[in-house]
Structures are given as C-alpha cells and as structure tokens.
Amino acid sequence: MTKQHANWSPYDNNGGSCVAIAGADYCVIAADTRMSSGYNILTRDYSKTCKLADKAVLASSGFQADVKALQKQLAARHLIYQHQHNKQMSCPAMAQLLSNTLYYKRFFPYYAFNVLGGLDNEGKGCVFTYDAVGSYERVGYSSQGSGSTLIIPFLDNQLKSPSPLLLPAQDAVTPLSESEAVDLVKTCFASATERDIYTGDRLEIVILNAEGIRREFMELRKD
C-alpha cells in the first residue's frame, strides 16, 4: 500500500468581500464581517477594515492571519515614519509602502487581497487595488475577495470608469455624491450576499471626508 502524505497548506481562504469607491472629496470603503473556513462560519462579527492613518483605510480579504500580520507590519512602519517626519503618511505614500511590503514577501506571500482607500494630498478620494504580491493601481473603484467577481461587473455597469489607456489621462473619481456612493455599496453587498456563501451577516461601511472618518452598518443575510 502506498503511503499517503497529508495535504497540508500554510494558507486558508477565510472569504468575505471588500469594496472601495473614490469620489471628488470623499472615499467609501466597505467590507462584510463574516469570516469562514470551508463550509464553517468561524465568526459573524469580524471587521476586515483597518485604519492605517487619518486619511488611509485598508480593507482586506483572504487569509486573515496573514492580514493581521500585514496590518501589524504596516502600523510599525507608519509609527517609524511619524517619528522621523513629524506627520502622518498620505494615502498615496501608504499605497507605495503596502506595495513594497507585499513585494518583499513575494516568495512566501501574504495571502491577502487588499483595497486601500483614502484622500490624497489635494483632498480628492483615491482607491488603490492590489494583488497578493504588491502589484497595484490607482482606480476610481475596486473590489476584492470572494464576492468581487459578482460586484465588479455591477460597479463597471453603474460607474463606467474611463480606460487607463486614454490620453490625456482621465480622472478616475466617480461622479456620485457621497450618499449615492454609500447606497451603491449597500446594493452591491445585498446582491453579492444572495449568491456568495462567504459574504454576509453584516456590512461595515467606512466613510472618509475632510471632516474625518465615520462608520455605518447594515445587516445582511445570516444564512
């Protein structure tokens, strides 16, 4: 009889979905709070968002142990930056730091799929979307996670971002008002929750604008 080796993996995918939308003077970052493993729900109340700086919020899906390690690394690097420069990092600077941090671990990557949202130096909304090894792009809206394949086509249909190949470069920020963007995010998740078993329970919405950060919550399907 041939020996069977246990098929062990250092990674797991805990599911969940994240969305970010950039506006003229705001940014909306949202994620559900369900954390799963296979067909088991581990918890219904796990926040996938993390405030990295006053004007930068990270939403991450994937392997939540790696996400936590990544967040701790970014928090430590940001603290060093604050001691050296006497100010907080801007969102584009944090975007580059996140890219470098992910790329540094490219041979044993953080299994984390990130969306970084915030305000840039001009006070305009910005969204940066990532793969697991640090390749990133500034966009007007993005989604990551298990429900992203359902959410992105819907956002494409509603927001019709200009092609990055157009010259001169078009502004990627969405024409919606802040309340319209929040309503759109709620619709996204209500729809994705119907079809994706890893997305559900509760929606956490983080809204960044010149006045600061505020949070809203919406209940989703529990089944």
Side-chain angles (χ1 to χ4, degrees):
M1 195 175 109
T2 55
K3 219 174 185 182
Q4 292 288 313
H5 284 280
N7 191 14
W8 183 82
S9 167
Y11 295 119
D12 189 11
N13 189 349
N14 299 125
S17 307
C18 310
V19 169
I21 298 177
D25 58 353
Y26 68 86
C27 187
V28 177
I29 303 102
D32 70 311
T33 63
R34 178 176 293 184
M35 185 163 79
S36 315
S37 182
Y39 290 120
N40 300 313
I41 294 175
L42 303 177
T43 173
R44 296 180 186 274
D45 193 28
Y46 183 86
S47 175
K48 296 184 184 72
T49 63
C50 172
K51 180 185 167 189
L52 296 177
D54 285 345
K55 293 186 176 173
V57 172
L58 179 69
S60 313
S61 74
F63 183 33
Q64 291 301 329
D66 275 4
V67 170
K68 268 281 176 281
L70 177 62
Q71 289 170 356
K72 282 171 79 171
Q73 173 81 347
L74 292 170
R77 294 289 297 274
H78 188 222
L79 190 64
I80 293 166
Y81 180 95
Q82 285 172 281
H83 287 316
Q84 287 176 345
H85 300 277
N86 264 337
K87 65 173 186 179
Q88 294 227 345
M89 247 185 220
S90 67
C91 193
M94 188 63 81
Q96 184 66 62
L97 173 64
L98 176 54
S99 173
N100 293 350
T101 307
L102 292 168
Y103 189 70
Y104 179 74
K105 286 265 290 173
R106 66 192 177 280
F107 298 118
F108 186 18
Y110 291 111
Y111 191 41
F113 300 95
N114 304 287
V115 178
L116 181 71
L119 301 176
D120 64 14
N121 297 325
E122 297 163 20
K124 277 173 30 179
C126 54
V127 169
F128 298 89
T129 186
Y130 291 79
D131 71 357
V133 288
S135 171
Y136 78 115
E137 182 185 7
R138 183 170 176 170
V139 290
Y141 58 87
S142 183
S143 176
Q144 292 280 13
S146 56
S148 64
T149 48
L150 305 169
I151 293 169
I152 282 285
F154 176 63
L155 289 176
D156 284 338
N157 175 260
Q158 295 296 304
L159 300 174
K160 295 183 178 65
S161 184
S163 166
L165 303 175
L166 285 177
L167 289 173
Q170 304 283 307
D171 202 351
V173 298
T174 56
L176 302 182
S177 70
E178 188 183 294
S179 60
E180 285 172 332
V182 171
D183 287 344
L184 183 64
V185 163
K186 287 177 178 176
T187 308
C188 281
F189 275 90
S191 173
T193 305
E194 292 290 324
R195 293 284 177 182
D196 177 28
I197 62 168
Y198 300 112
T199 302
D201 293 317
R202 197 157 178 246
L203 174 61
E204 180 183 18
I205 305 168
V206 183
I207 300 134
L208 261 109
N209 53 31
E211 286 138 42
I213 294 180
R214 77 174 200 276
R215 280 179 163 78
E216 286 185 20
F217 295 92
M218 183 180 92
E219 295 301 313
L220 296 171
R221 282 182 66 139
K222 304 273 188 283
D223 58 353

